[in-house]
Amino acid sequence: MTCTEAWSSCNGFFLLILSLLAIAFNLTPLIADYVEDGRLFVSPISCYEWWLPGLVGGGLLVLPAVSMTLAARKKGSCNSRGGMLASALLSVVSIIGAVYCTIISLFAVAKGPLICETGSNELSSCDYTLANLSSNSFKELQFDLAWLRNTTCIPRVDPAMTAAQGIIHQRNLSIELNEETQKIIHITVFVALAIIGLVEVLVAVSQAAAGIFGFICGTSKRRQSQNA
């Protein structure tokens, strides 16, 4: 076994574990939404869970590199120069996915859950335009976690309100009962996804380098055939 093959084996297993963790963390708030009221696409904990940073960015876009990297290791079906080069190219896709996962997660951490961002937990309050992720928007982000430190994100309503406002107050009150749980789920999920995304970038860059070296230097399978 050459050093690049051992290197690829480690990278492949690390990426596999990280991608599965990313998918699991992304599914956590989605499952929590469904468990809370039995409906999806209605009352999300965060708009950013539906950007699918872990499911797509840190998960599905990483898995092709995982499969090729593990196939390119010693005794793998693609243990060749071509397999190593393919693993390097697919690692670039993984890097893009991991960067996407990290960026979305950082936006989510800075802005907090939907009830803290907009005062409502309605999906209609979400902005899914790319302008929401522009460089100017990123510069304006504040990572002071004020939404986490504040006792509540729900604005207090004057008791002397109209009957219609009373209905709104009752709805907000039901949100407030679960606010602390939503904050905990939000910060846990998106901090974890941001860390996973950063680590995936490092491992994918490492595999891209290993794949290029394996393509240049060859693999043990090729050397065994030459010795035979």
Side-chain angles (χ1 to χ4, degrees), residues 150-222:
N150 292 338
T151 304
T152 180
C153 295
I154 306 299
R156 296 299 176 182
V157 183
D158 187 354
M161 60 178 66
T162 63
Q165 289 174 323
I167 295 174
I168 296 174
H169 176 64
Q170 291 299 322
R171 185 185 65 183
N172 283 346
L173 182 60
S174 65
I175 296 171
E176 188 174 6
L177 293 175
N178 297 314
E179 183 181 352
E180 194 64 31
T181 300
Q182 292 188 32
K183 286 182 177 181
I184 293 172
I185 293 175
H186 183 88
I187 191 68
T188 302
V189 166
F190 288 106
V191 167
L193 285 176
I195 294 172
I196 289 172
L198 288 173
V199 176
E200 281 182 335
V201 169
L202 296 177
V203 178
V205 168
S206 173
Q207 179 52 35
I212 292 173
F213 280 117
F215 172 72
I216 295 173
C217 302
T219 63
S220 57
K221 183 175 181 179
R222 176 181 174 86

Side-chain angles (χ1 to χ4, degrees), residues 67-225:
S67 60
M68 181 55 67
T69 298
L70 294 178
R73 74 187 195 280
K74 185 177 181 182
K75 297 182 180 179
S77 58
C78 296
N79 180 237
S80 63
R81 289 179 183 267
M84 296 299 286
L85 180 60
S87 72
L89 295 177
L90 288 174
S91 293
V92 175
V93 178
S94 297
I95 293 171
I96 295 173
V99 169
Y100 172 79
C101 178
T102 302
I103 291 175
I104 297 296
S105 299
L106 290 176
F107 267 90
V109 170
K111 294 192 174 184
L114 184 57
I115 55 173
C116 294
E117 186 179 356
T118 65
S120 167
N121 68 338
E122 298 295 328
L123 189 64
S124 58
S125 302
C126 295
D127 179 11
Y128 290 108
T129 62
L130 291 179
N132 191 30
L133 301 178
S134 65
S135 58
N136 290 332
S137 297
F138 191 79
K139 293 177 183 178
E140 295 173 358
L141 293 181
Q142 296 181 354
F143 294 94
D144 56 2
L145 300 182
W147 60 267
L148 184 62
R149 292 184 284 104
N150 292 338
T151 304
T152 180
C153 295
I154 306 299
R156 296 299 176 182
V157 183
D158 187 354
M161 60 178 66
T162 63
Q165 289 174 323
I167 295 174
I168 296 174
H169 176 64
Q170 291 299 322
R171 185 185 65 183
N172 283 346
L173 182 60
S174 65
I175 296 171
E176 188 174 6
L177 293 175
N178 297 314
E179 183 181 352
E180 194 64 31
T181 300
Q182 292 188 32
K183 286 182 177 181
I184 293 172
I185 293 175
H186 183 88
I187 191 68
T188 302
V189 166
F190 288 106
V191 167
L193 285 176
I195 294 172
I196 289 172
L198 288 173
V199 176
E200 281 182 335
V201 169
L202 296 177
V203 178
V205 168
S206 173
Q207 179 52 35
I212 292 173
F213 280 117
F215 172 72
I216 295 173
C217 302
T219 63
S220 57
K221 183 175 181 179
R222 176 181 174 86
R223 294 178 182 179
Q224 289 173 0
S225 62

